[in-house]
Amino acid sequence: MSTVIEQAVQVRLVASAPQMESVPATLRYDRADPFAVSMEFPPPATLEGTEVSWAFSRELLVEGMEAPAGQGDVRVRPYGYDRTVLEFHAPEGTAMVHIRSCELRRFLKRAQGLVPVGREHLFLDLDGDLAELMRDAC
């Protein structure tokens, strides 16, 4: 059984232009990092022309689908009946994307099948992580 879930999605990039541009992205969940999800944007979808990846908590994504959530670099909130807004804040600026809520629900359901919410701690490898930290400290 795979320990990583990846789901390709299309997101609508919110810009100052009247028409929102559709860009590809990938949602990713790895059982080795059970509290986090990431959204990756390929080089053609970014202003810099390099791949960009944002990691944030799975809990933030779940909460943000129901009500505004997040106070830091990533914020999530529902938008209308069938969309969710993700805001990514960086020193260079803010990117805002709309994604279909059904896509997020499908992704979260698959992640829940891999690691149930509330059981994330059972999938942590604290001994391995500590050994790696000790190895890097030398």
Side-chain angles (χ1 to χ4, degrees):
M1 180 167 133
S2 176
T3 63
V4 176
I5 295 171
E6 289 189 339
Q7 180 175 314
V9 294
Q10 287 289 316
V11 299
R12 305 285 283 182
L13 182 60
V14 179
S16 57
Q19 183 76 4
M20 287 193 290
E21 182 182 347
S22 183
V23 298
T26 302
L27 291 166
R28 188 171 197 277
Y29 182 78
D30 186 342
R31 187 166 64 183
D33 190 4
F35 289 100
V37 297
S38 66
M39 182 172 266
E40 300 165 358
F41 297 92
T46 68
L47 292 175
E48 297 82 20
T50 60
E51 183 175 302
V52 173
S53 181
W54 285 86
F56 48 96
S57 79
R58 175 168 67 165
E59 182 181 12
L60 174 67
L61 192 56
V62 170
E63 289 177 5
M65 291 185 66
E66 301 300 322
Q71 298 179 19
D73 294 342
V74 180
R75 300 172 193 172
V76 183
R77 70 177 187 280
Y79 182 78
Y81 174 72
D82 66 344
R83 300 263 179 200
T84 301
V85 175
L86 286 89
E87 293 180 21
F88 303 101
H89 296 261
E92 301 81 18
T94 299
M96 188 181 315
V97 298
H98 287 193
I99 185 170
R100 290 189 179 133
S101 299
C102 64
E103 296 277 359
L104 289 177
R105 280 191 288 279
R106 185 175 68 177
F107 172 75
L108 289 168
K109 184 177 180 180
R110 292 175 64 208
Q112 169 81 5
L114 201 57
V115 177
V117 171
R119 303 232 180 225
E120 294 91 349
H121 65 284
L122 299 174
F123 295 86
L124 294 174
D125 180 13
L126 296 178
D127 291 334
D129 291 343
L130 183 57
E132 186 175 328
L133 281 173
M134 297 301 288
R135 192 171 39 249
D136 290 345
C138 296

